[in-house]
Amino acid sequence: PVEVAYSFEGDFYPKTESVGRIEAKYSVDVVARINGWLQKRYFQEGAFVKKGQTLFLIQPNEYQIAVQQAEAAVRQSEAALINAEKELKRAKELVKNDFVSKSYYDNALATRDQNRATKDVNKANLAAAKLNLSYTKITSPVDGRVGKILITEGNLVNSQSGTLARIVSTSPIYVYFTIKSEDYIAYRKHRLENKDKKDVGMNVQIRLSDGSLYKEQGKLEFMNNEVDQTAGTISLRATFQNKDNLLVPGDFVNVTATAKAPVKVVLVPQVAVSDSTQGPYVWTVDENKQAQQTFIKIDKQQGDNWIVTEGLKPGQMVIKSGFQRLKPGTVVSYEEPSDSVKAASEEKEN
């Protein structure tokens, strides 16, 4: 007497697990763009800052003076241009009545054009002076969290001084992780087989360094275009919302990426599978109620079952207990599993 069960077809959601690293979407080194004394800062170290918020002030006096000088030069060139326009108009009338030579008109025209060009140059100088003045206020280019101040007030800074402070964005945030090349190929094949379905990506979940599961799911949005030859893996990136700021750039997390759409697999109870030097096998029952040793290939666990990749088809009867003294061809007796037991088993796996 033996106890039997059926191999059956069930849904399996392929998944892969790996270690991931958290990175900020934006990471910015704040630097000075002009030369001057660092006069003041307007934030606390470690605080959150908004895009456009003023962080530092470089002493603006000389740049304000430069703007005033440029404005005066523009006004001066405008006045000279107005006078040159009048002279050109008079020269045009005089030449028309043959009171002066043509060269007189040509000189007036050249003077007008020269003054017009001078005005354009002065206006450009004014724009440059205003731009330099605006650089005296160093603002945040992104929303994020500012770190330690690396150059304090009172120091002379310029574009070569280095980083004043560093800002990293916090939400959304990136998690980079890798999967084996064979898992990537399986994922791509899975997508091709389900290309007509709308929701075929991956659900990405992470477990924090303290072991807790992060409540938000990530959105897979990037796969690298080549496999790392040394590790045989490919890099992926998922984006997470980080409203609670639990995800800190530089930290490591455990990543589980699970396919959204299932694949059909053959399942067999774990208790029915034995191991040998030739590989795993099960005892099957043929139409004559004789036990036969059937070698199989198994992949992953799913609940109390093994996923069988080769050797079994759905609906084959396997012996799950009482096979210790069996030999190939032994006639066995058993009770047929009820449909309700079989259905419950399949529903549990699904």
Side-chain angles (χ1 to χ4, degrees):
V2 294
E3 186 179 0
V4 297
Y6 286 100
S7 60
F8 62 95
E9 188 177 62
D11 287 340
F12 173 67
Y13 292 83
K15 69 178 180 179
T16 181
E17 297 180 347
S18 63
V19 176
R21 179 171 46 84
I22 301 173
E23 284 191 15
K25 185 175 182 179
Y26 300 108
S27 181
V28 181
D29 290 332
V30 179
V31 298
R33 302 181 68 173
I34 56 171
N35 184 73
W37 296 98
L38 196 61
Q39 185 171 311
K40 193 174 182 180
R41 66 176 171 95
Y42 297 90
F43 65 93
Q44 293 293 326
E45 292 174 304
F48 289 92
V49 294
K50 292 289 186 180
K51 182 178 180 179
Q53 179 179 335
T54 301
L55 303 177
F56 295 97
L57 177 66
I58 294 175
Q59 192 174 42
N61 302 47
E62 62 178 290
Y63 297 100
Q64 290 171 340
I65 293 171
V67 169
Q68 293 170 355
Q69 290 174 338
E71 288 174 339
V74 169
R75 290 194 297 270
Q76 186 179 26
S77 59
E78 285 176 342
L81 179 59
I82 291 172
N83 185 61
E85 292 280 4
K86 292 178 179 178
E87 287 294 332
L88 179 62
K89 186 177 180 181
R90 282 194 292 266
K92 187 176 181 180
E93 290 295 327
L94 292 173
V95 168
K96 183 179 179 181
N97 296 312
D98 291 330
F99 292 140
V100 294
S101 65
K102 183 69 167 53
S103 62
Y104 181 82
Y105 172 81
D106 292 340
N107 289 334
L109 178 62
T111 301
R112 192 281 308 270
D113 291 344
Q114 184 178 4
N115 280 281
R116 181 178 289 175
T118 301
K119 177 186 174 182
D120 290 340
V121 170
N122 288 336
K123 288 179 72 175
N125 290 337
L126 175 59
K130 287 182 176 180
L131 184 62
N132 286 334
L133 179 61
S134 71
Y135 290 156
T136 61
K137 288 185 177 181
I138 302 176
T139 59
S140 175
V142 295
D143 293 344
R145 191 170 189 172
V146 65
K148 177 184 177 182
I149 296 173
L150 302 176
I151 300 179
T152 58
E153 301 98 316
N155 284 286
L156 182 66
V157 295
N158 53 49
S159 60
Q160 306 301 318
S161 300
T163 304
L164 304 180
R166 186 177 176 84
I167 301 173
V168 294
S169 61
T170 57
S171 184
I173 203 163
Y174 291 150
V175 173
Y176 284 89
F177 61 102
T178 59
I179 61 175
K180 296 178 181 178
S181 58
E182 55 264 34
D183 290 335
Y184 170 74
I185 292 171
Y187 169 71
R188 295 302 303 174
K189 287 182 176 179
H190 182 53
R191 283 189 67 94
L192 291 173
E193 292 168 359
N194 295 272
K195 60 183 178 181
D196 296 331
K197 297 180 181 179
K198 292 182 179 179
D199 201 11
V200 182
M202 282 186 178
N203 288 319
V204 183
Q205 287 189 309
I206 56 175
R207 196 169 292 276
L208 305 179
S209 54
D210 65 353
S212 63
L213 188 67
Y214 189 63
K215 62 182 180 180
E216 300 284 348
Q217 280 197 353
K219 180 181 178 183
L220 183 66
E221 61 172 24
F222 167 76
M223 287 187 177
N224 204 2
N225 58 358
E226 59 183 356
V227 173
D228 185 337
Q229 296 181 6
T230 58
T233 59
I234 189 166
S235 178
L236 293 84
R237 182 180 73 203
T239 301
F240 287 80
Q241 297 301 317
N242 188 29
K243 297 178 181 178
D244 296 332
N245 297 305
L246 291 176
L247 304 182
V248 181
D251 198 6
F252 289 91
V253 292
N254 292 315
V255 182
T256 301
T258 308
K260 293 181 180 180
V263 294
K264 294 295 183 181
V265 294
V266 178
L267 298 166
V268 67
Q270 290 184 39
V271 293
V273 179
S274 300
D275 205 1
S276 70
T277 56
Q278 299 177 41
Y281 67 91
V282 294
W283 288 97
T284 57
V285 180
D286 62 20
E287 63 274 9
N288 299 318
K289 294 188 177 182
Q290 292 181 337
Q292 303 294 341
Q293 190 180 30
T294 302
F295 287 92
I296 61 174
K297 288 185 178 181
I298 57 177
D299 186 11
K300 297 179 175 67
Q301 277 184 252
Q302 177 153 310
D304 297 330
N305 301 298
W306 281 111
I307 295 174
V308 180
T309 58
E310 287 185 25
L312 278 182
K313 295 180 180 179
Q316 283 189 261
M317 185 179 289
V318 297
I319 299 174
K320 66 178 186 179
S321 68
F323 51 73
Q324 289 77 8
R325 295 165 59 186
L326 289 178
K327 295 180 180 179
T330 301
V331 177
V332 295
S333 62
Y334 55 86
E335 291 186 6
E336 182 77 19
S338 65
D339 291 341
S340 60
V341 172
K342 182 180 178 183
S345 176
E346 293 181 357
E347 183 179 351
K348 179 181 178 182
E349 293 308 318
N350 292 335

